[in-house]
Amino acid sequence: MASALINVPARAKRGQVIQIKTLMSHIMETGYRRTADGEVVPRDIITSFTCRYNGVEIFRADLFPAIAANPFITFFTIATESGKFDFEWIGDSGFSETASAPITVE
Amino acid sequence: MRPRAIIAAMLLIAAGIVASNLSATEIPQAERRSGFSFMTPDTKAMQNEDTANPGMLWVLDGEALWKSRTGTAGKACADCHNAARSSVSGVAARYPAFDKTLGRPVNLEQRINLCRARHQQATPLAYESRELLALTAFVAQQSRGTAIETGADPQLEPFIDKGRELFMQRQGQLNLNCANCHDDNWDKRLAGSAITQGHPTGYPLYRLEWQSLGSLQRRLRGCISGIRAQAYDYGAPELVALELYLMSRARGMPIETPAVRP
């Protein structure tokens, strides 16, 4: 039941600095923990996040085991043209989620 | 005159100490504070903004579950309740509530499982499972901002008394009761963390320490282990009674579900 929460302003003025906020549902299991029986709990984390603005990559982040569950990633960009933001999260054991958000630039 | 005055003063002080030892002072209505008010500005901001509040991930899942058909009856919650925004709004502010068939109070999680058994002919969801937390969070979120009115039903009175008794009951190797911290010392800190008054206004809530959503019973079990006592099992009548007392103690405070707490 993975899901993402995205906050992108619906409208912005050309040249305006806008804040983008993303929240992805993920357990971010470090791979360092053990069960009561001593078995290692296998690592299961998001390893990479990218954001494309009308197809052009504007933000990328690598994630590591020290990052808490349900990573909240926020960053700024300049609103240049109307279109959409595409977000992609990639992780261990084939984890892959995408989301997108439209923006109108006036 | 002077020695007499000193003795009188000493007696007054002694009387004060005895009085405060005998009865925990309940928090006056005007001084009640949600756990929210003890948090740092960062954590408050996290709760206040829906796209930054991780609890909303469970609410979204809960909304999907609300609409999906399950059980041998092949019914979804939405088939009976229609739109959650109108049908279950304000409901969480009345829970735990009295169930006539069982003859005892049930909390919101138990009500959801009763609904599954009685109307959907589905198996109960496990306590603290993602599904049960998600559905509970979704239902409770419909009451966000509603003032808590749990305990208005006169049938609940003996159970609230039982909960109050448990709240005041010293237990565990540390020989503490709930009131020792949450009535008498809520303005102080324990190992650097605010003690708080223990008003359950935002459950199920996202606790940063858990890195997950969790129920009030999980919180209570954590507290009970903390005083080195044997925690009651999930769904135990004692935990429901405690929930009931705490909710009735928080009467009038607005529901914050899904809250964020450190």
Side-chain angles (χ1 to χ4, degrees):
Chain A
M1 287 202 287
S3 47
L5 283 168
I6 308 290
N7 188 353
V8 173
R11 315 187 147 267
K13 292 209 165 64
R14 195 173 305 275
Q16 187 187 337
V17 175
I18 55 166
Q19 187 176 17
I20 295 173
K21 300 173 187 170
T22 68
L23 184 63
M24 170 47 76
S25 175
H26 199 285
I27 55 166
M28 296 296 281
E29 181 60 56
T30 61
Y32 300 125
R33 297 199 304 167
R34 286 170 188 274
T35 63
D37 305 332
E39 301 278 326
V40 173
V41 181
R43 192 185 89 161
D44 182 10
I45 63 167
I46 296 174
T47 48
S48 133
F49 167 79
T50 48
C51 172
R52 289 186 187 82
Y53 186 8
N54 287 339
V56 181
E57 185 177 300
I58 56 160
F59 184 87
R60 169 187 286 275
D62 291 333
L63 286 84
F64 296 92
I67 293 172
N70 308 309
F72 178 64
I73 300 173
T74 174
F75 52 95
F76 295 87
T77 190
I78 295 170
T80 52
E81 54 187 326
S82 294
K84 67 170 183 156
F85 291 95
D86 289 300
F87 306 93
E88 187 179 27
W89 295 260
I90 291 171
D92 293 334
S93 18
F95 180 86
S96 174
E97 285 288 327
T98 55
S100 66
I103 186 168
T104 309
V105 177
E106 294 149 341
Chain B
M1 281 308 276
R2 192 171 276 175
R4 258 196 212 167
I6 291 168
I7 289 166
M10 284 171 76
L11 278 173
L12 276 174
I13 291 164
I17 290 167
V18 170
S20 69
N21 273 348
L22 278 181
S23 64
T25 41
E26 283 179 27
I27 301 161
Q29 194 85 3
E31 280 176 40
R32 291 184 313 168
R33 285 168 59 187
S34 159
F36 181 84
S37 69
F38 294 85
M39 304 198 302
T40 62
D42 284 351
T43 322
K44 283 181 182 172
M46 199 186 222
Q47 173 174 326
N48 282 339
E49 198 190 308
D50 278 350
T51 44
N53 181 342
M56 289 306 289
L57 296 168
W58 276 259
V59 172
L60 284 181
D61 285 348
E63 188 172 12
L65 287 168
W66 177 269
K67 292 173 184 160
S68 70
R69 296 204 158 84
T70 185
T72 47
K75 276 201 238 174
C77 308
D79 289 340
C80 293
H81 293 283
N82 302 315
R85 219 156 293 289
S86 51
S87 63
V88 292
S89 171
V91 166
R94 296 196 288 272
Y95 269 76
F98 193 79
D99 184 87
K100 283 197 176 61
T101 319
L102 295 178
R104 59 177 167 83
V106 293
N107 65 16
L108 206 50
E109 285 90 344
Q110 291 171 322
R111 166 61 63 211
I112 288 168
N113 271 335
L114 284 174
C115 238
R116 284 174 67 84
R118 289 173 188 169
H119 304 297
Q120 295 179 304
Q121 269 109 60
T123 48
L125 298 167
Y127 286 105
E128 303 307 297
S129 63
R130 176 125 190 151
E131 289 85 358
L132 187 56
L133 287 172
L135 266 173
T136 312
F138 175 68
V139 170
Q141 196 240 357
Q142 309 305 318
S143 305
R144 189 145 71 166
T146 310
I148 294 170
E149 45 181 293
T150 301
D153 183 351
Q155 287 171 288
L156 289 172
E157 240 162 69
F159 299 96
I160 295 176
D161 290 346
K162 170 78 182 157
R164 188 174 184 282
E165 205 176 282
L166 286 165
F167 191 83
M168 303 295 175
Q169 168 74 56
R170 283 180 182 270
Q171 53 179 325
Q173 289 176 329
L174 299 187
N175 198 31
L176 288 169
N177 65 29
C178 310
N180 287 153
C181 289
H182 300 288
D183 273 349
D184 298 342
N185 288 298
W186 57 265
D187 52 347
K188 299 185 184 71
R189 300 175 85 81
L190 184 65
S193 305
I195 289 173
T196 82
Q197 300 179 348
H199 297 299
T201 50
Y203 284 90
L205 56 74
Y206 192 89
R207 202 159 168 232
L208 300 179
E209 186 188 307
W210 295 335
Q211 303 214 358
S212 168
L213 207 74
S215 69
L216 175 53
Q217 294 208 350
R218 179 172 180 187
R219 174 70 269 202
L220 289 174
R221 282 166 51 91
C223 247
I224 294 170
S225 310
I227 57 168
R228 312 282 184 272
Q230 178 71 47
Y232 306 104
D233 289 334
Y234 281 108
E238 288 87 351
L239 284 182
V240 179
L242 265 174
E243 272 188 73
L244 184 59
Y245 171 65
L246 289 176
M247 283 294 276
S248 68
R249 183 170 164 268
R251 224 175 289 174
M253 302 175 85
I255 295 272
E256 297 169 38
T257 309
V260 176
R261 293 289 183 269

